[in-house]
Amino acid sequence: MGEKEQSTGGPHFVGTKDELIAARRSFRTLEGRDILIVYQQGVFYALDSYCYHAGAMLQNGDIEYKISLAQGEGIYKGTDPRQKPPVARWYSKGVKQRTHMVTETDGKVYVQLSEATGWIDSDYYQGEKGKVERAKARAAEKEPS
């Protein structure tokens, strides 16, 4: 790898605690990876900014798919038809969204990019092929029906 491609390791300063709390969702690019910092119920989380399902930005609008902010686990509510009566409960699809470690020191917030090995579905939209797919999806959204 060339010098530009090598990880600097972080942790990377992403903003002050106050500005990130005010924003609630903040987009950053760290070492070429697009991430979203989310402030939810008193805790900061960082995860890949593009939804693992179709590459949409998690920063914008409603999120159709539930994702555990802490672990990146895809979850959905369903019923087991074998149960009488069927009762809705939460099920896991496994880890789908790459999450990153957030720390805070003296009112400054830092993100350490994930060093987890192995493929996670949201990785696709960080790569070159995924960028092409995201561009196609954005263009399709703008075309009149």
Side-chain angles (χ1 to χ4, degrees), residues 104-132:
E104 181 205 333
T105 306
D106 298 325
K108 294 178 181 175
V109 180
Y110 300 86
V111 171
Q112 173 75 45
L113 292 177
S114 168
E115 295 178 358
T117 57
W119 179 261
I120 296 175
D121 289 5
S122 69
D123 291 342
Y124 176 77
Y125 290 103
Q126 296 286 342
E128 289 306 314
K129 287 182 181 177
K131 289 177 184 175
V132 170

Side-chain angles (χ1 to χ4, degrees):
M1 277 199 294
E3 280 186 39
K4 282 189 172 181
E5 295 168 4
Q6 289 179 340
S7 170
T8 60
H12 302 277
F13 173 71
V14 293
T16 67
K17 178 180 178 180
D18 292 341
E19 69 188 8
L20 294 172
I21 288 173
R24 313 256 318 133
R25 294 183 186 181
S26 303
F27 177 87
R28 299 287 188 273
T29 301
L30 306 176
E31 298 179 32
R33 191 169 196 98
D34 295 334
I35 65 159
L36 182 66
I37 298 106
V38 178
Y39 182 74
Q40 182 74 28
Q41 297 179 338
V43 179
F44 288 107
Y45 301 93
L47 59 160
D48 281 356
S49 63
Y50 306 109
C51 176
Y52 73 89
H53 174 253
M57 289 194 70
L58 295 179
Q59 183 176 0
N60 301 327
D62 295 331
I63 300 171
E64 289 180 34
Y65 295 85
K66 303 271 185 212
I67 299 167
S68 158
L69 292 174
Q71 302 298 324
E73 185 178 21
I75 53 178
Y76 65 98
K77 202 167 199 175
T79 58
D80 182 344
R82 296 170 295 185
Q83 274 186 324
K84 301 295 181 201
V87 177
R89 65 177 279 264
W90 291 101
Y91 294 89
S92 174
K93 298 177 188 180
V95 173
K96 300 290 186 179
Q97 199 77 18
R98 187 173 293 276
T99 59
H100 309 281
M101 189 173 70
V102 182
T103 55
E104 181 205 333
T105 306
D106 298 325
K108 294 178 181 175
V109 180
Y110 300 86
V111 171
Q112 173 75 45
L113 292 177
S114 168
E115 295 178 358
T117 57
W119 179 261
I120 296 175
D121 289 5
S122 69
D123 291 342
Y124 176 77
Y125 290 103
Q126 296 286 342
E128 289 306 314
K129 287 182 181 177
K131 289 177 184 175
V132 170
E133 292 299 316
R134 290 193 332 255
K136 285 181 190 174
R138 279 195 308 274
E141 286 173 5
K142 293 178 183 175
E143 289 177 11
S145 304

